[in-house]
Amino acid sequence: MKNRWYSSVFAVSALALGCVATGAWAQAAKPLRIGLIGPFTGPSSDFGLPMLNGAKLAVDEINAAGGYLGRMVELVVKDDTANPDVGLQKSQELMQEQVIATIGFCNTGVAMKSLDVFQNAKSPLIVPCATGTPITAKYPAAESYVFRNSARDAIQAPFVVNDIVSRGWTKVAVLADKTGYGEAGLQDVVKALAAKDLKPVYVGRFDLGVTDLQADLKAAQAAGANVIFSYTVGPEAAAIAKSRQAIGWKVPQVGAWPLSFPLFIDGARDASEGALMAQTFIAEPSNERKMSFLSAYGRKFSSKKIAVPMAAAQGYDSVYLLSYALLSIRNGDMSGPSVKAALENIPRVYYGVTATHEKPFSKDDKEAISSNMLVMGMVKNGAVTFAYAEDRSRNLIVQRKQSAH
């Protein structure tokens, strides 16, 4: 269905551009280069690789339908290894590779160190995974070349806080790592709790690599906490779960989307059971678009299970959002300001995997995801499923962005 629809859009656009300048058509054989940067090796590869694969799947589909006016789309892939210094170097390399835009970053700290590279070069960046609120707040929205197609922590944290308060879990202990991601997430949780006239009963901070957090958990227990809100990625989230289990403390662990990662679920094993987290995409065939995407991904990568489905789906949708923007460029101008303006004025609705995107971006809004697109996921038997049956039913209809979020 998607391939046929994209092909018809391509055909109509090609006819509309029948009188385009000869010079532009002379470039037809030259690939359209799009940057892709993320952690494809190293500690964050568990969600970097699915993001990469989702983007590759979208590019394959677009090229099979004719690409952009006969020009094939080519991904220029850079591995940032989840290291901010490496990310900066690779971002600078991308600017030398003549990419028209870049899709990238899974880690907030890595993204933050590289944002100036894209902004100064006036080269659009679409962030498909990293969720730190500061990423899209660094520059005034109207001037910013930084777009995002993931749920920023400023909406994830309130979403989870609303859920736990509705369950009566109001004595919250927050355990956050000392990275840029952990710091920004902690501030978002504190702000979300304050909106409910609540404060954390305990706050614990830790360095990446920690394996035992029993001391923090005992302190949180002594403070009367009845829920643990963790803000970290992967192994450290598992360390929290295992430390809680080790002291025999049966309280729920909640958090943002990293609690859906294999490094948490597989690392914590049965200690991860029941953990709750915000999600934009749960890998269950609850609607036709999900079924199509999961089937296509499985065929292309010979995979029965996606390590981090959200990363794959958002990487896939990010490529399509960019392609829809490019189709509105009528004069062949692929300069950064032209692509930025096209992203801010996408004319057609993109029926995506994670959302129905109708005007996902604007000059004053660089966030494609709004809070109504989130659902609560839960770890059950080593996999992520819907925490609420009504969310599974609601997911039959793919959500559209709210005008205020």
Side-chain angles (χ1 to χ4, degrees), residues 252-284:
Q253 182 172 346
V254 305
W257 73 301
L259 291 186
S260 67
F261 292 8
L263 286 176
F264 170 66
I265 297 173
D266 298 342
R269 297 185 180 275
D270 59 331
S272 72
E273 190 75 6
L276 296 165
M277 80 297 293
Q279 297 277 276
T280 61
F281 180 86
I282 291 176
E284 295 181 11

Side-chain angles (χ1 to χ4, degrees), residues 4 71 135 195 235 252 289 291 307 338 387:
R4 291 198 298 273
R71 295 175 65 180
I135 289 174
R289 294 185 219 167
M291 289 174 63
S338 175

Side-chain angles (χ1 to χ4, degrees), residues 62-112:
I62 291 166
N63 283 340
Y68 171 79
L69 302 180
R71 295 175 65 180
M72 295 296 98
V73 176
E74 177 185 303
L75 289 176
V76 180
V77 179
K78 301 289 183 180
D79 182 5
D80 65 33
T81 72
N83 182 305
D85 293 325
V86 175
L88 178 60
Q89 176 192 342
K90 299 299 183 181
S91 297
Q92 292 166 339
E93 289 177 8
L94 279 174
M95 295 304 94
Q96 303 300 317
E97 297 268 7
Q98 297 182 323
V99 297
I100 60 163
T102 298
I103 292 166
F105 296 114
C106 290
N107 305 91
T108 295
V110 181
M112 290 301 295

Side-chain angles (χ1 to χ4, degrees), residues 159-181:
F159 179 78
V160 176
V161 165
N162 287 343
D163 183 76
I164 62 178
V165 169
S166 73
R167 294 169 183 260
W169 302 337
T170 57
K171 296 179 179 179
V172 184
V174 185
L175 271 68
D177 66 42
K178 295 178 182 178
T179 67
Y181 173 72

Side-chain angles (χ1 to χ4, degrees), residues 161 164-165 168-175 186 189-194 197-205 215-229 249 251-252:
V161 165
I164 62 178
V165 169
W169 302 337
T170 57
K171 296 179 179 179
V172 184
V174 185
L175 271 68
L186 169 62
V189 174
V190 170
K191 185 177 180 180
L193 287 171
D197 294 321
L198 297 171
K199 293 182 179 179
V201 297
Y202 178 81
V203 174
R205 304 300 303 278
D216 275 297
L217 270 297
K218 288 177 181 177
Q221 185 178 30
N226 59 8
V227 61
I228 302 163
F229 203 130
W249 189 25
V251 293

Side-chain angles (χ1 to χ4, degrees), residues 30-67:
K30 190 176 182 180
L32 202 63
R33 311 189 87 203
I34 297 171
L36 187 74
I37 184 169
F40 309 130
T41 60
S44 293
S45 60
D46 59 337
F47 62 121
L49 287 172
M51 183 267 281
L52 171 63
N53 288 344
K56 284 181 174 178
L57 176 61
V59 167
D60 282 358
E61 291 177 356
I62 291 166
N63 283 340

Side-chain angles (χ1 to χ4, degrees), residues 326-346:
L326 297 180
L327 280 173
S328 69
I329 296 176
R330 299 290 183 175
N331 59 1
D333 181 3
M334 291 294 160
S335 66
S338 175
V339 176
K340 173 182 181 289
L343 283 164
E344 294 167 349
N345 297 279
I346 297 176

